[in-house]
């Protein structure tokens, strides 16, 4: 596997970062995950816009303009195997003497990009759906920043794994649902798709946008608003989205079946629309 690190393309085994990198010491950096289908980078402009939002959120200058990112990413995709890949792009504030405050004058940021094969979700997951648990959303108030400081998300996801589940759905203030530890969550009730608003309490997912666009374009009733905890537990269906998981049905929540306990009609519809979109748009770069 070839990665990109600070201007160089290297085999991953040869890549290393100094121990005083602020990403290593403080988790002081941001990242992006971008899917690539048939070697075409999906919604690069949107991902770069979200990256800029994250960089602005941590007051770090963007080391590259869009044309430079496009060139770096294109080169990396070309150098790696697999027509479907997912890019991981990571920028930290760089290497400096350990001090919480930003280095002054600023130092050169560390830029790391890798691309891994992106397998389609296994058939068993599509057929059976996944099991999730719920937990209190104990993260900070800037979940819209795609921060590399992911310890809360790591601990929350591990709670799911320890319970034999796939994801943890987060509930803020014991009142409303925000998202998953590494995914966005939709609720379906009486044929309507409900999505939480893109505010400071969740990551504005690119897949979330695609699902809402598909709903709008295909006459599927949908509403963006706060989704209350009770609505999560009385949902007919629950859906999970992310760049690497696409759209999955959640068929069990906290050990109880969601609706019928099987992937439902809304999942079937949106999954089919997503697959068509992947074939006709994502693989042809016509989004
Ligand atoms: N995570 N919310 C959180 C907290 C996430 O970490 C992610 C994605 C999403 C979904 O966003 P998108 O549809 O743009 O992938 C929502 C990526 C996949 C990761 O950290 O690996």
């Amino acid at each position: 596997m070839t990665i990109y690190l600070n201007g160089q393309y290297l085999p991953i085994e040869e890549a290393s970062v100094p121990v005083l990198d602020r990403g290593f010491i403080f988790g002081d950096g941001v990242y992006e995950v971008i899917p690539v289908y048939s070697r075409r980078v999906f919604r690069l402009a949107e991902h770069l816009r979200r990256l800029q939002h994250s960089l602005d959120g941590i007051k770090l200058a963007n080391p590259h303009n869009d044309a430079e990112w496009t060139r770096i990413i294109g080169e990396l995709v070309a150098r790696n195997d697999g027509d479907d890949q997912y890019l991981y792009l990571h920028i930290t504030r760089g290497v400096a003497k350990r001090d919480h405050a930003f280095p002054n004058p600023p130092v050169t940021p560390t830029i790391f990009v890798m691309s891994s094969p992106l397998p389609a979700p296994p058939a068993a997951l599509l057929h059976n759906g996944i099991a999730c648990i719920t937990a209190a959303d104990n993260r900070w108030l800037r979940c819209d920043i795609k921060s590399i400081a992911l310890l809360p998300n790591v601990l929350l996801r591990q709670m799911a794994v320890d319970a034999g589940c796939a994801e943890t759905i987060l509930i803020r203030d014991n009142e409303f649902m925000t998202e998953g530890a590494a995914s966005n969550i939709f609720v379906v009730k009486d044929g309507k798709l409900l999505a939480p608003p893109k505010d400071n309490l969740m990551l504005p997912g690119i897949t979330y946008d695609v699902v809402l666009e598909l709903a709008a374009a295909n006459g599927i009733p949908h509403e963006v608003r706060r989704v209350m905890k009770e609505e999560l537990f009385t949902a007919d269906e629950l859906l999970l989205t992310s760049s690497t998981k696409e759209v999955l049905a959640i068929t069990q929540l906290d050990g109880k079946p969601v609706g019928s306990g099987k992937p439902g009609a809304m999942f079937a519809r949106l999954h089919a629309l997503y697959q068509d979109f992947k074939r006709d748009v994502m693989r042809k770069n016509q989004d």
Side-chain angles (χ1 to χ4, degrees):
M1 183 203 229
T2 300
I3 63 97
Y4 173 91
L5 182 64
N6 300 327
Q8 284 187 293
Y9 296 91
L10 299 167
I12 192 159
E13 300 77 20
E14 288 174 24
S16 65
V17 175
V19 288
L20 284 182
D21 192 280
R22 289 178 62 94
F24 184 53
I25 298 288
F26 295 118
D28 184 359
V30 296
Y31 77 107
E32 269 299 318
V33 173
I34 314 175
V36 175
Y37 292 105
S38 301
R39 297 196 176 268
R40 295 171 203 276
V41 183
F42 181 59
R43 294 209 169 165
L44 181 57
E46 286 81 352
H47 279 280
L48 291 178
R49 207 173 306 135
R50 188 170 69 181
L51 176 67
Q52 186 64 55
H53 177 81
S54 295
L55 288 167
D56 291 345
I58 69 161
K59 300 180 162 57
L60 181 59
N62 195 333
H64 292 301
N65 62 32
D66 284 7
E68 290 165 345
W69 281 122
T70 303
R71 192 183 48 73
I72 292 167
I73 283 169
E75 177 75 35
L76 195 69
V77 169
R79 285 176 184 241
N80 279 286
D81 292 337
D83 289 345
D84 293 358
Q85 304 179 15
Y86 74 94
L87 288 153
Y88 175 83
L89 198 157
H90 171 124
I91 306 165
T92 80
R93 206 178 306 275
V95 181
K97 185 169 145 292
R98 185 180 179 278
D99 180 341
H100 289 61
F102 299 171
N104 188 15
V107 295
T108 308
T110 300
I111 306 164
F112 168 52
V113 192
M114 65 176 168
S115 197
S116 313
L118 176 62
L125 277 194
L126 298 175
H127 190 253
N128 301 323
I130 58 169
C132 291
I133 58 168
T134 57
D137 192 342
N138 56 9
R139 302 173 301 162
W140 68 336
L141 299 177
R142 289 305 308 273
C143 297
D144 54 316
I145 297 174
K146 205 160 168 59
S147 162
I148 62 165
L150 284 172
L151 190 52
N153 305 62
V154 166
L155 294 174
L156 289 162
R157 168 62 73 81
Q158 188 60 34
M159 282 173 63
V161 172
D162 290 344
C165 293
E167 181 61 304
T168 302
I169 301 180
L170 307 177
I171 296 170
R172 189 61 86 160
D173 300 335
N174 202 23
E175 279 182 15
F176 57 92
M177 185 270 288
T178 51
E179 60 179 339
S183 56
N184 291 117
I185 305 293
F186 294 81
V187 163
V188 180
K189 188 69 185 174
D190 298 329
K192 189 192 250 189
L193 189 64
L194 301 175
K198 292 200 280 187
D199 59 12
N200 61 311
L201 299 178
M202 71 170 235
L203 187 83
I206 306 291
T207 324
Y208 163 106
D209 285 343
V210 172
V211 164
L212 285 179
E213 287 168 27
L214 290 174
N218 292 279
I220 297 174
H222 59 282
E223 195 179 343
V224 176
R225 62 158 171 82
R226 279 243 178 287
V227 178
M228 306 315 284
K229 177 182 160 185
E230 295 67 37
E231 296 180 293
L232 191 65
F233 291 109
T234 56
D236 297 332
E237 293 180 51
L238 296 175
L239 307 178
L240 174 152
T241 66
S242 85
S243 293
T244 48
K245 302 256 163 53
E246 304 184 351
V247 185
L248 293 176
I250 299 165
T251 45
Q252 214 188 83
L253 188 64
D254 290 341
K256 299 191 188 75
V258 176
S260 68
K262 297 212 159 51
M266 183 70 85
F267 167 73
R269 184 94 200 275
L270 282 170
H271 180 259
L273 287 169
Y274 197 87
Q275 296 311 310
D276 291 349
F277 184 75
K278 211 161 87 175
R279 186 192 60 226
D280 300 337
V281 179
M282 294 163 143
R283 293 192 183 286
K284 299 193 172 138
N285 225 10
Q286 292 172 343
D287 63 308

